[in-house]
Every structure is written in structure tokens, then in C-alpha cells.
Amino acid sequence: MSRSAWGLVIVRLLAAVGVAVAAGLVFGQPELWVIGVLAGYLAWNLYHVYRLDRWLRLREGTRPRKAIGVWGQIYAEFHRIRQLNRDRKKRLNRLLKEFRKSTSALPDASVVLNAKNEITWRNDVAQRFLGIAKKDRGQKIDLLLRDPDFIEYLRRKQFDRPLSLRSPVDSRIKLTIRIIPYGTGQQLLLAKDVTREARLEKIRKDFAGNASHELRSPLTVISGYLDNLEADPEKPDSWKEPIREMVVQSARMRSLIEDLLTLSRLEASSSATNDEPVDVRGLACLVRKDALAAGPREGAVELKLESEAAIRGAETELYSAFWNLVQNAVKYSAPEGVIEIRWWDDDDGGYFSVKDTGAGIPESALPRLTERFYRVHKGRDRARGGTGLGLAIVKHVLQRHDASLEVTSELGKGSLFTCHFPRSRLVE
Ligand code: ADP
């Protein structure tokens, strides 16, 4: 409201009071005239307040009635604000409709959850994949999806990794669930059908596993005959070298096949099958003994066992991971190098580390180390007897124990491989 309009109101009021005083002077009793004028002014204002109130409450969408003076402007201002709000509401409604249409067209199930994990919205696919119907609005999602893995996923709130789940509606449908937090405590749950991808992945894994298995028996026969031939003192001299080479290569093929079989066994299930407390101190002593047996390193493999904690998991898998790390430390350092095996824990969990003073790894190679058949120096590393599968096995074993692998290295100085197990996996 402009200042001039208010000035006019005051001037008009003063003029009316002036007229009342003048009339009072002419006809007598000026105070009655003034009171009369003021009462009239008050009644007029009250009438407009009443009209404004009724218009605001009852006549949504109608134009305001005409009024003179400042009341006319007040009505116009209210009308303008109402109009603005209505336009905004229309725009938001249109946007909401478009959002709903587009998410309904999505092939993925989408569910919006509030901070208490209650369903506030879902699309039609959510009914097909997750069995969440329209009437389930306001229900807590963990009462509808009761899979223990899902409940744990929701509780932990570590949504950087998706969760694999079978559809509660049809167990043949495999889903990957992602939860994306947004706003103030809201979450968007997306479930994608990955049945086809999972089937192809299974065919690929089965093929690698079956092929390795089929190769193992003939190779055992060939290795047996080669060992016999090597041991035969009457073989011609010209055969000695080729037979020795064949023995070495068949041993390499055997370790390749064993590693491939280990990997396909690890891939067959996503978490460690065994949940027994594994004595890490005992395992560390064992891998040290095996490392010393593999080469002349007496005293060069140090043990630092600073924790009494055990790990809940599968002993054979953990042995295989730790042995691969120690074996690499031996393989990629000079015989006079020092290797340190350490086990310690803190508030964040347990740490099993293997440190060497060997060749080191260039920084650019670090992100690719756990890829299958990745070797930093192809020819040289193969000649050392590596299969290129060791760290892939380590990664799989650690994943199955909710653990992670951290690698730091400096070229020419050595490397440090640390397996970090979460507190939840430790047993005192
Ligand atoms: P491999 O059986 O060939 O050793 P891994 O998967 O165990 O395969 O290791 C992958 C590659 O990482 C190796 O070929 C090697 O180049 C490098 N590497 C692994 N451990 C070490 C280490 N302790 N020091 C230097 N390089 C290493």
C-alpha cells in the first residue's frame, strides 16, 4: 500500500472530524458530532473487515467487490497474491503430473520413502516387482519387504553399493535395489530387473568353472607321465631340456586351473559360507612358515601380532587370501628383502597387512591390480610363476568378509597391502 494512499486516509479522517467540529459549532454539542463521525468511520471499517473475511473464506476464485479508498487497494492486493498462489499451484500440479507420468513409464520400480521409512509414493511397477500396492501408502517398507538382507541394508544406510534381491512377488525375478537419499530424510528406492543379466553372468561363471574342471583331469595325467619321464635316467640327453620345460609349464597350467576353480567357487555365493571365529594369529604363523619353506628367507619374514581378535569367517578362504599376499611379497622382492606380516585392531576394525621391501608398483597400476590376469610387467611377472589371479582371489575373499583391500606402494622401495575387516567381523 502506497504512503500517499495512507496520507489520503488521514486527510479524509481529519477533514471529516473538522466538518463535525464545524457542524458542532454551528448547531451546538460538537463532541456529539465528532463521536458520531468517528462511530460512522469505525462502522464503515468494521463492515469492510467483515466483507474481507467473508470473501477470503467463502469466495475462493471470485473477483473482490469494488470498494473505495484504502479498502479497494487492500482487496486488490489480496486478489493479486491469491492469483499468484493459484498460478504457482497450477504449475506445481502440472509438474507433479508429469513426474508421475514419467516415473510410471520407467521400467524400474520406484518408491518414495520418508524419514521413518514409510511409503509416501510408488509407481505401478513397484506392485509387479515388490508387491507394493496403492493402499500401502503410509506403511513402513520393512513390514512389506521382510527379506533379512533388505532389512539389514536399510538399517546400515550404506547405500553406495546396490543390493541384490529376489522379487517377493516372483522368486524368478532378480532385482538390484538402490536407495538414493534426498531432501530432509527422504529416500528414493529403485528396483531394477536384472534377471537376464544375472542369467548371462551365471552362464559365464559356470563356463569358466566347468572348463577348468574338465581341464584338470587330462592335465593330471600329462603331469604324471612328464614326472615319470623326468625321473627316467635312461632318457636321451636331447630330451632333458624339453621335458624339464614341459614339467614347468604343466605346473603353471595346474596352478592356473586351481586359481580359476578357487575363483569360480568364491563367485558361487556372495558371502562367506562359514562363520566360525578364525584364529588370525595362527593363520599368520602358518603363512610365515609356508613362505619360509618356499625360499631361503630365514629371519626375513617378521611377525607383528598386536591383536588377540579373531575374524568371523571361512578359514580356508582367509588362508588363501593371506597366502596370496605373502606369496606376492616373496615373488616380487629380492631374496635379501624383509617382509613384515602384521595383525592389529582399533575402533574401526581389524587390519591384516603384508609389507615388503621389493620392486614396488607404479601408482597408475594400483587401481587395476585386482583385475583378473592383470600383471604390471606382463613378461617378467609371468616368468616369476604368477597366474595374474592372486589379487582377484584376495579381493573376492575380502568382499565375502565385508572387508576391503588397501594398497600403497613406492617404486623401488616396496609395497604395503592391508586387509581392513569391519568391527562387526571381529570376535574378541
Ligand atoms: P600374480 O599371480 O601374477 O602375482 P596377482 O593378482 O597376485 O597376480 O598380482 C597382480 C600383479 O600385481 C602382479 O603381476 C604384480 O605385477 C603386481 N604385484 C602384486 N603384488 C606385488 C608386490 N608385493 N610387489 C610388487 N608387485 C606386486
Side-chain angles (χ1 to χ4, degrees), residues 259 324-325 328-329 331-332 356 359-361 369 371 374-377 380-381 385-392 415 417:
D259 278 357
N324 268 303
L325 291 180
N328 279 351
K331 245 184 335 199
Y332 301 108
D356 65 58
I361 302 158
L369 276 191
E371 283 175 22
Y374 178 77
R375 299 177 181 97
V376 180
H377 307 284
R380 192 194 73 186
D381 295 344
T387 59
L389 294 172
L391 291 178
S415 316
F417 287 76

Side-chain angles (χ1 to χ4, degrees), residues 136 143 151 230 242 261 295 303 329 348:
D136 294 326
L143 294 180
I151 291 174
E230 198 184 24
L261 281 172
L303 272 187
D348 287 336

Side-chain angles (χ1 to χ4, degrees), residues 16 52 121 228 283 325:
L52 177 66
W121 181 82
N228 286 346
L283 270 191
L325 291 180

Side-chain angles (χ1 to χ4, degrees), residues 43-323:
W44 181 71
N45 276 320
L46 270 176
Y47 167 67
H48 277 296
V49 171
Y50 167 76
R51 255 180 56 172
L52 177 66
D53 175 54
R54 279 186 65 82
W55 177 65
L56 283 178
R57 282 192 295 124
L58 304 179
R59 297 178 179 225
E60 173 95 22
T62 58
R63 290 192 72 77
R65 286 211 223 131
K66 289 262 179 299
I68 53 155
V70 80
W71 280 107
Q73 293 192 23
I74 289 176
Y75 278 125
E77 185 62 18
F78 267 115
H79 188 57
R80 194 181 66 80
I81 293 172
R82 258 192 176 177
Q83 208 85 41
L84 263 179
N85 275 341
R86 219 183 1 250
D87 289 351
R88 194 174 302 154
K89 219 154 116 185
K90 265 190 200 156
R91 223 176 30 246
L92 284 177
N93 266 337
R94 214 177 33 241
L95 257 174
L96 196 65
K97 265 191 198 142
E98 273 170 24
F99 167 75
R100 285 192 173 162
K101 256 198 243 160
S102 57
T103 41
S104 292
L106 275 179
D108 301 345
S110 344
V111 183
V112 176
L113 304 171
N114 65 14
K116 290 189 218 149
N117 291 333
E118 290 161 351
I119 298 164
T120 55
W121 181 82
R122 85 334 155 229
N123 66 357
D124 293 342
V125 193
Q127 168 117 40
R128 195 147 39 92
F129 286 175
L130 303 168
I132 298 175
K134 229 182 200 149
K135 66 175 171 46
D136 294 326
R137 245 167 83 163
Q139 283 262 36
K140 280 176 121 343
I141 184 113
D142 42 348
L143 294 180
L144 296 169
L145 299 180
R146 307 187 68 106
D147 186 291
D149 286 348
F150 176 74
I151 291 174
E152 181 63 13
Y153 184 65
L154 203 61
R155 192 187 61 76
R156 274 213 202 162
K157 293 196 177 297
Q158 286 173 354
F159 301 137
D160 40 345
R161 265 202 243 162
L163 171 78
S164 301
L165 203 71
R166 280 187 187 274
S167 160
V169 181
D170 179 348
S171 61
R172 285 168 305 178
I173 301 180
K174 283 195 171 170
L175 301 170
T176 43
I177 307 260
R178 264 186 185 285
I179 294 185
I180 303 141
Y182 71 95
T184 45
Q186 280 120 306
Q187 305 166 92
L188 174 65
L189 180 151
L190 294 173
K192 184 176 160 57
D193 180 358
V194 289
T195 316
R196 203 180 115 80
E197 287 91 326
R199 202 171 41 234
L200 289 176
E201 181 65 9
K202 187 168 179 326
I203 291 173
R204 184 190 69 75
K205 283 177 189 168
D206 285 355
F207 173 77
N210 290 340
S212 317
H213 198 77
E214 292 297 326
L215 283 171
R216 187 149 72 167
S217 314
L219 193 62
T220 311
V221 176
I222 293 171
S223 299
Y225 279 121
L226 281 174
D227 289 342
N228 286 346
L229 273 175
E230 198 184 24
D232 182 1
E234 284 167 22
K235 62 179 176 293
D237 277 353
S238 60
W239 286 23
K240 278 187 187 157
E241 193 45 37
I243 287 175
R244 215 188 56 77
E245 187 56 25
M246 280 195 275
V247 169
V248 170
Q249 292 303 334
S250 70
R252 259 201 63 203
M253 276 174 79
R254 257 206 321 269
S255 56
L256 247 173
I257 285 170
E258 289 309 323
D259 278 357
L260 279 171
L261 281 172
T262 308
L263 263 177
S264 81
R265 260 196 307 272
L266 289 172
E267 280 180 338
S269 68
S270 60
S271 61
T273 39
N274 217 331
D275 244 1
E276 296 295 310
V278 177
D279 172 21
V280 184
R281 298 167 75 94
L283 270 191
C285 294
L286 194 62
V287 286
R288 176 177 181 267
K289 216 172 89 194
D290 291 346
L292 291 175
R297 295 187 159 269
E298 197 56 63
V301 184
E302 292 170 5
L303 272 187
K304 278 193 182 169
L305 303 174
E306 296 157 23
S307 166
E308 299 282 344
I311 296 173
R312 254 184 333 101
E315 183 162 19
T316 44
E317 290 182 19
L318 289 172
Y319 170 81
S320 152
F322 297 165
W323 173 231

